[in-house]
Amino acid sequence: MKELETRYLERLSDLYPTIAAASTEIINLQAILNLPKGTEHFLTDIHGEWEAFSHVLKNGSGAVRSKIEDVFGYTLGKREKQELATLIYYPKEKTEQVKRTEKHMEDWYKIQLYRLIEVSKRAASKYTRSKVRKALPKDFAYVIEELITEKAELHDKESYYNEIIQTIIRIGRAEEFICAIADLIQRLVIDHLHIVGDIYDRGPGPHIIMDKLMTYHSVDIQWGNHDVLWMGAAAGQRGCIANVIRICARYGNLDILEDGYGINLLPLANFALRIYGDDPCTCFRRKGSERLQKAEMEMNLRMHKAISVIQFKVEGKLILQHPEFQMEERALLHRIDYKKGTILLDGKEYPLKDDRFPTIDPAAPYELTEEEEEIMERLEKAFAGCEKLQNHMRFLLAKGGLYKVYNNNLLYHGCVPLREDGSLKEVQLCGKSYRGKSLYDALEGYVRKGFFALDEQEKEQGKNIMWCIWQHPDSPLFGKDKMATFERYFIEAKETHLEKKNPYYELLEKEAVVDEILEEFGLHPEGAHIVNGHVPVKCKNGESPIKCNGKVLVIDGGFSRAYQKETGIAGYTLVYNSYGLVLVAHEPFESKEAAVEKGSDIHSDYMVVKRVTERRLVGNTDIGTELKEQVADLESLLAAYRSGQVIEKL
Ligand SMILES: O=P(O)(O)OC[C@H]1O[C@](O)(COP(=O)(O)O)[C@@H](O)[C@@H]1O
Ligand SMILES: [Mn+2]
């Protein structure tokens, strides 16, 4: 044991070879521990709405505005502060707009540059110089550092700064400089980003969001059911592929696949036109925006139906092949009376709104036709072979998981499956029984196997589990008794559309239940929170995102336009800074142009969930715990140097 410790200290002495080096590092770490904790930003349910997402990233859900407020308080008017905020979010566009009318651009540059420097000084003051240095834009690193660092020894600071700024303007670099410093501010106001699931589906730009996240300085992702659906599709699981395409068609977004990811949908399009060419496919009208032209719409309708039918076949077959999933009642095609055009559900017969099924053989309803089979084979290859999609999925795998415990908060997208009495529900998974955290851990293990297992059978199992995570009643990411997709397309009777939520959602006000969940994940209930998304908070019905006296925060980001009518708001985000937790309500995002033109921001309301009496320091965070361990190790090294156990390397 002793030997192991000496060996460890020897390795550490490679990094800190002298008493002086080890001491300096201890002092540095100690300084970091006493800085205010960095601001965390939580977003969920972005659902492809990349413009609103980009905006919220830029404004840090109000974090930029509050920095401006801190710096300028009463010394700037409301309009000027708003203009400055817009300049920080959209430096290029805002400068262009000003140029159109402003006659004295030099003055304008000078004023804005001063203001931007003041804001960045404030934003940087929370961090060590080394961290700020790492965040500096390459081109202007040196000069920005000069400008934002207080120089006590300078006599005439003003003329020194003036000189720098004048030079920047004179040599025609003011615009680039503004962009660089605006980026720096955005980067400094948010230290870490949490995405609590559902990046994909419904909106037009999940791939753009993924590209953005991949360049973000610090992020973790808790996968949502829609994200796992895409992961399953990328891994080649057919049920997931069909769902992904169906949802894109449903929202008129097939171009995400075709243009965004370069996945060829032509075989499906040709097939759909041939098979459903004179079928009005009225049940397959798309939801959401009016972006499609008429001809495209006709095509969309048909592709939508074609892939839906394929989905119901593929899923039904999977369910029947895997009785252990216990989803038999979700295989529906054999319950249809193809002559009468009805379906028998729970002993009740319902007429179908559309009973044209030219590709279904009533004797073998789950078999794909030869052409359907060929289409699926090609799609499988296309998804698996799409480099961009695979890169995005690898990023999700690397930065994400099914849940996260971070700074005393428990983050997951959906729920923890519970029984009616609030106890953790036992769930069967591949012959074993799990509940609570063990269920989450097991499921995550299967997802990773679906990508990385060497053994083909294990890999296959992992892929199928991804499909289960998407829509199994016991999936913690789905959390409903069924996904009534078929019923919602084909049956008028609303009672069949009902998807009953897991008791979790009713029990969230019960402190004993919430505490048990927190403890299950290793947290002390005192001062801890659960943050989840997934269910839109219907503000207009008086629902609140704050449950259980602030212990649970259901912050469906509500970015999805299609859901905004229902909720009456564009959702919530959460900010956790050194002063406490603040829930931010958002208005619908109009467009980037409107944001620049009108200086409109979309955060409308703040609810302080928790305000601490003493500012929280890095020392009280998870990173702080790690740093303290490092300090302890370094102190052992120092002692070893002093006792002669380890010798300095000069
Ligand atoms: O309104 P849409 O896009 O048809 O989606 C409805 C389906 O989406 C789900 O709500 C799942 O998506 P969410 O994770 O966004 O809730 C299903 O329960 C439901 O069947
Ligand atoms: Mn969801």
Side-chain angles (χ1 to χ4, degrees), residues 45 47 197-198 202 224-226 413-414 477-478 533-535:
D45 299 86
H47 283 303
D198 279 0
R202 303 204 177 105
N225 47 336
H226 289 269
H413 177 70
L477 274 69
F478 178 50
H534 188 52
V535 284

Side-chain angles (χ1 to χ4, degrees), residues 584-612:
V584 186
H586 296 268
E587 303 284 347
F589 181 71
E590 211 181 315
S591 66
K592 176 170 155 183
E593 289 71 28
V596 177
E597 244 6 270
K598 303 182 205 159
S600 51
D601 233 326
I602 57 174
H603 45 89
S604 57
D605 208 0
Y606 297 94
M607 283 174 250
V608 177
V609 182
K610 186 164 173 175
R611 203 173 165 82
V612 290

